[in-house]
Amino acid sequence: PAAGFLGPDLWLARRAARRARAVRRELPALLDMLRVTVHAGASLTAALHEVGGRARGTLAAEWRAVGREAALGVPLAEALEAMGRRLPQPEVTALIAALDRARRHGAPLGPTLTGQARDARLALRRAVQEDAAKAGPKIQLVVALLLVPSVLLMVAAALATALLDSGGLPGT
C-alpha cells in the first residue's frame, strides 16, 4: 500500500526533474537560435514559433506552443507567463522577465537574448559541476561496499588455496 501511495508521486517527481534537466540543457542553444532569428528581422512571436518548429526537445515544444497561442490571439505576455507556469525554473523565469522588460521599454532583443544565453550557459555549467560533485561520494560508496569486500574475498580465497595446496602456512 505504501508503494502504491508514494509511487506515483515519486514517478512524477522524477519525470519533472528529467524535464527540468532537458530544458536547462536546451536553453542556451535555443536562445542563440532565437537571437539570430530576431536579428534576421522576425518578430519575437514569429521567432519563437520558427525556432520551436525547427528544433526538437522539451523547450522547443513549449516555444512552438507559445507561438501557436500568440497566433491564435493570446497576448504574447500571457502565453509566456503560461509557459513560465509549465516550466518553473529560474532560467526560464529570468528569460520571461527579460523579454517582458525589453517589450515594455522598447529595448532591442539581441543584447537581451545574448545575455540570457550567457546566463543559461553559466547555470548549466554550475548544474553540471554540482552533479559531478555529488557523484564522488556515490562512487566512494560503491567502492567501499562492493569492490573492497570482493577484493578481500579474492585475497582470502587465494590464501586458502595456497594453504590447502602446501598443507600448511606458506613458507614453512
Side-chain angles (χ1 to χ4, degrees):
F5 181 74
L6 297 175
D9 289 338
L10 293 174
W11 174 79
L12 189 59
R14 289 185 71 161
R15 284 205 50 178
R18 190 175 332 129
R19 179 176 161 99
R21 281 192 307 274
V23 167
R24 188 173 286 125
R25 268 192 323 268
E26 297 166 8
L27 186 61
L30 288 180
L31 281 171
D32 287 336
M33 289 174 61
L34 186 66
R35 179 183 48 86
V36 168
T37 307
V38 167
H39 275 300
S43 68
L44 181 58
T45 304
L48 284 169
H49 186 69
E50 185 67 27
V51 171
R54 291 187 181 270
R56 297 287 170 253
T58 305
L59 187 60
E62 288 292 335
W63 284 7
R64 276 193 306 272
V66 168
R68 281 192 307 263
E69 288 175 11
L72 291 173
V74 175
L76 182 60
E78 287 181 26
L80 287 171
E81 186 179 314
M83 181 184 73
R85 285 191 301 270
R86 291 188 302 266
L87 299 173
Q89 295 172 300
E91 297 89 357
V92 175
T93 304
L95 171 65
I96 293 168
L99 292 175
D100 187 48
R101 276 192 310 274
R103 181 188 56 80
R104 280 186 290 138
H105 299 296
L109 284 176
T112 300
L113 293 172
T114 301
Q116 289 297 313
R118 184 186 62 244
D119 293 346
R121 280 190 182 83
L122 290 174
L124 179 61
R125 177 196 278 161
R126 190 171 39 252
V128 167
Q129 288 172 342
E130 288 173 4
D131 288 345
K134 291 176 187 175
K138 291 177 184 177
I139 291 171
Q140 289 174 347
L141 183 65
V142 168
V143 168
L145 295 178
L146 297 177
L147 294 179
V148 171
S150 63
V151 168
L152 290 176
L153 285 174
M154 289 175 57
V155 168
L159 183 62
T161 303
L163 285 174
L164 291 175
D165 287 344
S166 68
L169 290 176
T172 59

